[in-house]
Amino acid sequence: MKISSIGLLATLACPAYSFAPTFSTRRMPTYLFSTTAEPDISTTVPNGDTQETTVAVAPKVSQRWRKSTKQLATLGPASSTKEMIETLFLAGADIFRLNFSHGSQEQKKELLMLIREVEEKYSHPIAVLGDLQGPKLRYIPHCSHVIVKVGEFFNPQGEILEKGQTFRLDLDEALGDNSRVMLPHPEIIEASDVGHVLLVDDGKVKLVVTGKGPDYLDCRVEVPGKISNRKGVNTPDSVLKISALTPKDRSDLEYMVSIGVDWVALSFVQQPSDIEEINELIDQHLKEDQFRPAVMAKIEKPSCFVGDNLERIVDLCDGIMVARGDLGVECAPEDVPLLQKQIIDTCRSKGKPVVVATQMLESMIESPTPTRAEASDVATAIYDGADAIMLSAESAAGKFPEESVAMQQRIINRVESDPHYRNYLNQLVTSKKETATDAVTTAARQIAQTVKAKAIVCFTLQGSTVRRASQERATVPVLAVTPFKETARQLVMSWGVYPDLPRSGSFGFSADDEDFFNYENPAVDEKADDFDIVLKNAARAALRKGLVSDPNDLLVVTAGIPFGTPGAANIIRILPAGKHFDEIMLCCLPYQLLRMISMFQTICFHLHL
């Protein structure tokens, strides 16, 4: 069967017209079987035979691969065992966060090794995010080894500040009282001007600068309250002339790179130069042929929204986290929801994954169920189009870590089944470039919707094609097939993407060759030239994830020919999951036609067709 360019264009323009039923396939058995080694889980099919297959068919896990929004779970005292990590993974966690603000580096490595064991058991990539602590501006200097007890109050219970009174912050090491206390951070004094706001103890006390000298700030108390030893200070109006990376962070960063975390989260990002700094440090620590971790910027300072700072930060990093804790302290509460939407829209328009974090299910630290307001908050982040949502103390130190992860998944499933959700996703117009990759991914989304395919399968080396497919927010899952485990793990962060965990020699790439880890020019064996073999492996990967269940289920496959060329997506094919290669006619679209399709879709959008 051949499909003309005009016929295909008509198909894309008129969703009611579908050529899927015209595909011819040999009659296959009703049940498909995976042919690669999988976890030791078996099920009994109706004919009585025992079927060795993937965990995707297990009732508890089947829904695991159906959601598009990803879940991050922070590990801590409540979730530091292999059994609990596995439980959280099965409950829905896609990425695990290692918070380097607490615990030793060796403890983080132990957790990473446990995650890798769970990953191997279930043959599914799991991403690990290392979160740097960042500067902690407190009334005492903070060191990774020693805390020097200065800047304390004479009254160990602290002092009550009254509205309108004057209060001084200075560099004097004498014990504080109701009129002053030491602030051992000259950079804050230098950066603060008259009229600037200082927030103490997460905003419980608000001070406004009324005067300054070389070693002090005189402030007026705007919001009264109790001030005591070692409370944090936020500076929403000031850009501090300090690095986002403390000596502790630099040590932790080097350690993260050495143990192979997939993502590094940078706290206290104030301006684009902070991202440039951490990128330079990562490059210095990378060994030859070592895979580079992705960088995630935590947006928690108002300075990120000055001018074009946000756009430049997004361009420089690989992902963004909406850190609503500090952002909510330094910005007006009514502004945070709008800033959240602004950040998400910017990331989506640029094709960068974005995570919404902090206090999502805060009450579940102590309670097995969330408040209705918290459930609504999680749902709002999903409706906004976030790639992922995160749990902090709920999974790290709470009494109900499994229930918290499971609740997030329940909310995700409910929102994503709502017709309004798809309408919201389609409202944002993403930027497109005049490249083969953009044309291919745009066409693949429409073709998958038209032929009612079960999944889009993307072959990728470094993940650029898959991230572009995720940006399209397709109506079906995106199965990423890559020869590199590191690429697969990083892609876990992206909306709607479920990477396949590569094995030695799979998908035409030779793992035995010394050049296998040459990420610029990976070794490819002769079998890679046989595209039918590659397509068969694509069908097997979809089966392992439980994305297909019938031989006639269709897959839309995108790839780049020749293999081994990063960003060379230039071909689309449609195949049934149970295809016989001598009987099925595949649809291969030339680049010129793909550009016509992309232009046609743009015209339809602007004409509201």
Side-chain angles (χ1 to χ4, degrees), residues 430-556:
T430 58
S431 59
K432 296 180 175 64
K433 301 177 182 179
E434 293 186 358
T435 63
T437 298
D438 278 48
V440 165
T441 52
T442 301
R445 178 187 186 276
Q446 184 62 58
I447 291 172
Q449 183 175 355
T450 301
V451 304
K452 296 180 173 57
K454 294 296 184 180
I456 296 173
V457 182
C458 292
F459 286 86
T460 185
L461 288 177
Q462 298 175 339
S464 59
T465 304
V466 175
R467 283 187 285 271
R468 183 65 185 82
S470 173
Q471 184 185 13
E472 285 291 325
R473 295 299 195 255
T475 56
V476 296
V478 176
L479 175 61
V481 184
T482 174
F484 303 135
K485 289 185 178 181
E486 295 87 348
T487 297
R489 290 165 181 157
Q490 288 185 359
L491 288 173
V492 168
M493 190 75 70
S494 297
W495 186 97
V497 175
Y498 281 96
D500 190 51
L501 189 67
R503 289 181 173 79
S504 175
S506 63
F507 310 119
F509 292 87
S510 173
D512 298 326
D513 196 292
E514 293 181 357
D515 293 331
F516 178 73
F517 292 102
N518 182 343
Y519 298 105
E520 297 298 329
N521 299 291
V524 182
D525 64 25
E526 294 180 358
K527 290 184 179 180
D529 294 332
D530 188 345
F531 196 50
D532 278 353
I533 293 177
V534 174
L535 293 177
K536 181 181 292 185
N537 282 326
R540 290 173 176 171
L543 170 61
R544 286 197 300 272
K545 288 288 184 291
L547 301 178
V548 295
S549 57
D550 186 275
N552 294 313
D553 287 341
L554 295 179
L555 300 171
V556 176

Side-chain angles (χ1 to χ4, degrees), residues 272-285:
S273 59
D274 295 327
I275 308 300
E276 295 172 344
E277 181 182 10
I278 191 174
N279 281 329
E280 291 175 0
L281 286 174
I282 290 176
D283 291 337
Q284 293 174 13
H285 296 317

Side-chain angles (χ1 to χ4, degrees), residues 346-359:
T346 302
C347 290
R348 277 203 58 197
S349 66
K350 294 180 177 291
K352 302 291 181 73
V354 55
V355 181
V356 177
T358 315
Q359 298 176 331

Side-chain angles (χ1 to χ4, degrees), residues 64-81:
R64 176 70 178 74
W65 317 113
R66 298 298 178 182
K67 61 186 175 70
S68 295
T69 307
K70 304 305 182 64
Q71 296 175 250
L72 278 81
T74 302
L75 298 184
S79 51
S80 58
T81 65

